[in-house]
Amino acid sequence: MSAETSLRRVHGACPHDCPDTCALVVHSEGQRVLRVQGRADHPSTHGALCTKVSRYPERTHHPDRVLYPLRRVSAKTEPPRFERVTWTEALADIAGRLQGIAARDPQAIQPYSYAGTMGLLQGGSMADRLWNRLGAARLDRTICASAGAEALNLTYGSRVGMHLRFFAESRLILIWGSNSIASNLHFWTYANQAKRNGAKLICIDPRRTETADKCHQHLALRPGSDGALALALMHELIRHDWLDHDYLENYVTGWAQLRERALQWPPERVAPVTGLKVDEIEALARDYGTTAPAAIRLNYGMQRVHGGGNAVRLIALLPCLVGAWKHRAGGLLLSSSGWSAPFKNNAALERPDLLAGRQPRMVNMSAIGNALRDLEGPRIEALVVYNSNPAAVAPENGNVVRGLQRNDLFTVVLEHFMTDTADHADYVLPATTQMEHLDVHTSYGHTDVLINEPAIPPLGESKPNTQIFRELAAALGFGSEPWAQEDDEALARQALLGLDYERLRREGFVSLDLPDAPFAHGEWPTTDGKVWAVHPAAGLPDFVPNVESPESAPTLAARYPLAMISPPARNFLNSSFVNVQSLRDIEREPVLEMHPQDAQTRGLTDGAMARVFNDRGEQRLKVVLNGRARPGVVHGLGVWWRKFGPDGKNVNELTHQGLTDIGGGACFYDCLVEVRAA
Ligand SMILES: Nc1nc2c(c(=O)[nH]1)N[C@H]1C(S)=C(S)[C@@H](COP(=O)(O)OP(=O)(O)OC[C@H]3O[C@@H](n4cnc5c(=O)[nH]c(N)nc54)[C@H](O)[C@@H]3O)O[C@H]1N2
Ligand SMILES: Nc1nc2c(c(=O)[nH]1)N[C@H]1C(S)=C(S)[C@@H](COP(=O)(O)OP(=O)(O)OC[C@H]3O[C@@H](n4cnc5c(=O)[nH]c(N)nc54)[C@H](O)[C@@H]3O)O[C@H]1N2
Ligand code: SF4
Ligand SMILES: [Mo]
């Protein structure tokens, strides 16, 4: 093949857990990715990618890529040492170990995966088929969004809301618990357009983020107080009669009870709870009650606290009070995943029928540390990790590491890199990246479906997750069963119902055909077509404070007076990209942002090394006084790999494994600490 003919350009999709799900154009030559660009003709991508994914060639061709199967040769508590083995050897040994365990109890085999890739193929499919066939333990995938997602289900009947593009036409946008510029860049483009057209932008976030810097107003509330703020806003909307009575009467179930509850939360009561001033709350209510169309971009940052589910339910009701849903540029967007849900053919991809009536136990991934240490539930004997890095990202990860250090735990990790988790594996299996495999993607930020074509062949001996699980299934003796024989092309063709796969292949993305203002006349996906202020089983939402707060735990709060949140560093994506040098150079080192007053009373100056601690552990971080923290709140930006931290730890050493009120989610931002000079 001449150099010219080996130049390729394919349609791609960004695989990351990001609401933007960008459409990519990937340029490659032979085995090398040359350039990754945003598609100019995809509406929300608009030709632009974030800094992280623009560096994809650097990540793909990183000298540290795991390119061959590796077998551990050191004890679990010793520094990790591995030797290269063949695929045949690795798969035969892994299958033998798993078979031995499955013969006693397949539920002692625990798969652990999350959103390293969001692809319908590489994110599950063949893996789910294998686990179902084996009867392995199931995983409750709660680490990110389950409180908010379940809250939307309880309120709207599904994860639906207004469409991304119409934010550009809003007159008022509340950016609530979202650092959009860092983690939802393509929403920000629309918000910025609205701003240029004269809209007012208000950011509701404890941290003065780069997004807050660009809004007209920033309300730095205390972490976990959003539900109280929503109730006070309702109180004011009622008091001033800034209500759309028609919408409330016709399209909301339980308005009378909600009204009664809201009237118990005047701004005077809510001000000390939120740390906001009474007049700030009143002014916000005035803006929201008197500006149309008003839109809320809610995001998952505000639901990583114990009361996160109730808070989302309350905020999700606000647009009904003012009838914002009547405009296409009004309403709320937290997740759009419910729009594509009916098109996803989970039954074909995951084959729950292979369970044959069994109901294996379910382990909550947000409490994996306790589960691995046998502090909860039956013993996990084997752990198979893919698309996730729990040793870094799971709460209270000191416990995860101690669990992974069990010499009697058999751990297999499918990875691109030697992450904190892979360091503890018995086997590390080389997985392909998005540049090297086929996949199909839906989005939780927009409503397009995308295809990802491989741009280059698999590097080294790496294989797609699907292929690894297909071969593992064969090694386990399932090779003659039809479910284990379908290749990726066959899986991709089955992934979506009612969408033309050939067209998707040709065009790279297909937009779902949906009404502009879907809820202008009710028609919610609930059983009665109305929004549920009162849910038949869950009742009326209420303000639920943080478990680690002066309200809930005064003694603890006296010992650990600072609330710590740990939102992502802009140039990392959870723990992905931390090992990409050019991106780590921008973030430099793990930091703790503090308010100057909090630093001063502890004798800390800008740049000092601090010891951040609570009963769960301690971590060393460099203090940064950059004006982003409010008094009483500190920010440990994440999610660094533990091994890049100054003391081999990261912020999740301090977070806890308690769960949210709804959805059993993780409570990363519900965490009290104290800080001292190191
Ligand atoms: N650059 C970058 N982009 C990302 C990610 C990343 O790691 N890096 N992660 C991706 C993933 S997995 C997800 S789920 C999304 C997450 O993106 P978001 O849903 O936006 O969530 P977070 O980034 O966790 O938090 C957003 C903001 O919420 C604020 N916050 C924290 N606690 C509270 C609170 O109690 N109330 C309120 N009102 N605000 C609070 C934080 O300070 C932060 O600025 O982003 C995705 N995009
Ligand atoms: N303190 C704190 N902790 C947090 C958060 C926070 O805000 N603060 N955010 C939380 C959130 S929102 C989330 S979603 C979780 C995310 O946690 P994870 O889902 O674990 O996400 P990542 O850390 O990005 O790790 C994904 C891993 O999958 C690998 N990977 C990617 N693609 C593939 C593939 O095709 N095959 C295989 N085998 N591997 C692949 C990547 O190399 C990477 O190591 O972290 C949570 N942890
Ligand atoms: S991480 Fe988000 S913003 Fe960046 S390319 Fe992927 S989808 Fe787009
Ligand atoms: Mo997430």
Side-chain angles (χ1 to χ4, degrees):
M1 213 189 279
S2 77
E4 208 176 32
T5 53
S6 72
L7 279 176
R8 265 167 63 83
R9 221 175 61 173
V10 298
H11 292 315
C14 175
H16 288 292
D17 188 353
C18 169
D20 297 19
T21 322
C22 289
L24 312 178
V25 187
V26 184
H27 304 258
S28 63
E29 183 172 16
Q31 294 264 1
R32 257 201 117 66
V33 178
L34 302 176
R35 212 150 25 102
V36 179
Q37 289 176 306
R39 263 184 80 167
D41 59 347
H42 179 254
S44 60
T45 306
H46 211 72
L49 300 178
C50 64
T51 320
K52 307 175 289 294
V53 172
S54 318
R55 307 286 163 91
Y56 236 73
E58 187 180 346
R59 185 179 188 277
T60 308
H61 298 290
H62 197 294
D64 297 345
R65 266 290 291 277
V66 176
L67 294 175
Y68 309 97
L70 299 172
R71 175 166 58 203
R72 180 178 211 89
V73 292
S74 60
K76 291 287 175 73
T77 45
E78 283 173 15
R81 276 182 296 120
F82 291 87
E83 63 180 6
R84 181 175 167 182
V85 292
T86 64
W87 271 107
T88 318
E89 244 182 301
L91 288 170
D93 195 20
I94 295 167
R97 293 290 296 267
L98 296 184
Q99 251 159 353
I101 296 167
R104 290 190 302 278
D105 180 9
Q107 301 177 93
I109 299 170
Q110 180 66 60
Y112 192 99
S113 69
Y114 201 63
T117 168
M118 302 278 287
L120 299 185
L121 271 54
Q122 309 306 334
S125 72
M126 199 49 81
D128 296 312
R129 290 178 173 194
L130 175 60
W131 306 134
N132 287 336
R133 177 67 176 84
L134 263 179
R138 290 172 296 169
L139 188 74
D140 202 2
R141 303 171 100 237
T142 57
I143 203 162
C144 169
S146 60
E150 189 51 26
L152 288 186
N153 290 340
L154 294 174
T155 312
Y156 298 161
S158 182
R159 284 110 30 242
V160 291
M162 59 179 287
H163 301 305
L164 186 63
R165 62 187 184 280
F166 297 132
F167 276 92
E169 300 167 10
S170 306
R171 302 296 301 161
L172 173 73
I173 305 180
L174 309 188
I175 300 182
W176 197 327
S178 165
N179 182 6
S180 316
I181 292 178
S183 64
N184 191 190
L185 188 63
H186 297 82
F187 156 75
W188 176 254
T189 311
Y190 293 109
N192 211 14
Q193 224 169 308
K195 188 180 168 189
R196 281 198 301 271
N197 294 338
K200 182 169 182 181
L201 270 49
I202 302 177
C203 181
I204 305 175
D205 192 315
R207 178 170 187 247
R208 186 163 185 99
T209 59
E210 42 273 67
T211 309
D213 287 340
K214 297 260 161 67
C215 288
H216 296 98
Q217 202 183 341
H218 172 217
L219 297 170
L221 80 181
R222 291 175 56 221
S225 64
D226 305 82
L229 178 59
L231 284 163
L233 294 179
M234 290 182 196
H235 180 281
E236 292 302 285
L237 297 174
I238 296 165
R239 190 166 73 90
H240 293 280
D241 197 25
W242 290 322
L243 298 173
D244 187 322
H245 293 280
D246 166 60
Y247 204 89
L248 287 166
E249 270 155 42
N250 291 310
Y251 308 126
V252 179
T253 297
W255 164 238
Q257 283 143 282
L258 179 66
R259 181 177 184 279
E260 209 174 303
R261 172 146 299 163
L263 287 173
Q264 295 160 15
W265 290 91
E268 292 72 19
R269 181 179 174 194
V270 167
V273 176
T274 52
L276 300 175
K277 296 193 193 80
V278 169
D279 58 8
E280 285 176 320
I281 300 172
E282 286 174 350
L284 178 63
R286 176 173 300 276
D287 280 337
Y288 191 66
T290 61
T291 317
I296 301 177
R297 181 47 164 132
L298 191 62
N299 224 325
Y300 286 109
M302 49 70 62
Q303 50 94 71
R304 308 192 200 292
V305 292
H306 176 63
N310 268 278
V312 169
R313 286 187 66 195
L314 287 165
I315 296 166
L317 291 163
L318 283 168
C320 298
L321 272 69
V322 297
W325 298 110
K326 289 179 171 173
H327 312 262
R328 68 179 189 178
L332 175 142
L333 175 64
L334 170 58
S335 169
S336 60
S337 69
W339 293 117
S340 58
F343 296 92
K344 282 199 228 170
N345 193 353
N346 291 335
L349 286 179
E350 301 170 8
R351 295 290 305 271
D353 57 297
L354 294 168
L355 276 167
R358 294 168 294 178
Q359 286 213 326
R361 75 176 172 116
M362 177 98 90
V363 169
N364 188 320
M365 72 186 303
S366 300
I368 191 65
N370 284 348
L372 286 174
R373 291 192 66 202
D374 290 332
L375 301 176
E376 271 162 28
R379 194 169 183 81
I380 297 175
E381 295 182 46
L383 182 74
V384 183
V385 182
Y386 46 104
N387 306 336
S388 186
N389 183 11
V393 304
E396 205 177 349
N397 64 13
N399 261 355
V400 179
V401 169
R402 282 184 287 275
L404 289 171
Q405 285 175 341
R406 276 172 42 202
N407 275 315
D408 66 337
L409 177 74
F410 180 65
T411 303
V412 180
V413 177
L414 285 63
E415 251 302 345
H416 302 149
F417 295 108
M418 291 306 295
T419 59
D420 290 333
T421 307
D423 278 347
H424 294 90
D426 291 275
Y427 279 97
V428 182
L429 302 178
T432 47
T433 69
Q434 190 78 342
M435 305 292 105
E436 299 147 70
H437 55 225
L438 175 70
D439 221 325
V440 176
H441 289 256
T442 56
S443 173
Y444 66 97
H446 57 66
T447 52
D448 305 330
V449 176
L450 296 85
I451 194 146
N452 182 77
E453 309 263 11
I456 56 170
L459 293 179
E461 291 184 4
S462 66
K463 297 176 198 258
N465 291 345
T466 42
Q467 180 63 16
I468 299 175
F469 286 110
R470 214 176 274 122
E471 293 182 15
L472 183 58
L476 284 161
F478 303 125
S480 62
E481 300 182 18
W483 64 265
Q485 293 172 349
E486 285 173 337
D487 64 12
D488 283 9
E489 178 70 28
L491 291 172
R493 284 183 182 280
Q494 292 168 70
L496 299 162
L497 295 160
L499 282 180
D500 181 353
Y501 181 72
E502 301 305 334
R503 183 178 156 212
L504 185 60
R505 264 250 136 113
R506 226 173 26 248
E507 297 175 11
F509 71 90
V510 172
S511 304
L512 301 181
D513 187 17
L514 299 164
D516 284 357
F519 311 116
H521 309 284
E523 300 179 78
W524 290 89
T526 51
T527 48
D528 62 1
K530 297 184 183 187
V531 168
W532 284 355
V534 175
H535 184 273
L540 192 62
D542 202 353
F543 168 57
V544 177
N546 279 4
V547 278
E548 296 204 347
S549 63
E551 291 95 324
S552 307
T555 328
L556 188 77
R559 288 167 59 218
Y560 302 117
L562 298 169
M564 185 187 79
I565 57 173
S566 47
R570 181 174 178 177
N571 293 287
F572 301 150
L573 202 135
N574 302 315
S575 80
S576 296
F577 298 101
V578 179
N579 63 328
V580 174
Q581 190 68 46
S582 68
L583 294 169
R584 196 162 76 246
D585 286 347
I586 306 176
E587 297 295 341
R588 294 163 69 173
E589 67 211 304
V591 296
L592 187 77
E593 295 175 341
M594 291 185 86
H595 189 269
Q597 251 164 33
D598 291 327
Q600 202 190 0
T601 55
R602 290 163 178 83
L604 290 162
T605 50
D606 191 43
M609 269 313 256
R611 198 162 65 83
V612 192
F613 59 99
N614 58 24
D615 288 342
R616 290 176 288 273
E618 70 166 60
Q619 203 217 343
R620 265 148 225 266
L621 290 169
K622 185 171 139 179
V623 171
V624 172
L625 308 180
N626 57 4
R628 299 215 181 273
R630 52 155 289 143
V633 181
V634 295
H635 318 140
L637 302 188
V639 183
W640 282 79
W641 288 12
R642 288 172 66 100
K643 57 182 158 190
F644 288 127
D647 50 0
K649 294 173 188 168
N650 72 11
V651 280
N652 282 322
E653 186 76 17
L654 303 169
T655 51
H656 66 81
Q657 296 176 72
L659 303 177
T660 53
D661 52 350
I662 295 172
C667 294
F668 292 109
Y669 304 166
D670 183 338
C671 177
L672 287 175
V673 298
E674 181 53 294
V675 181
R676 291 274 178 267

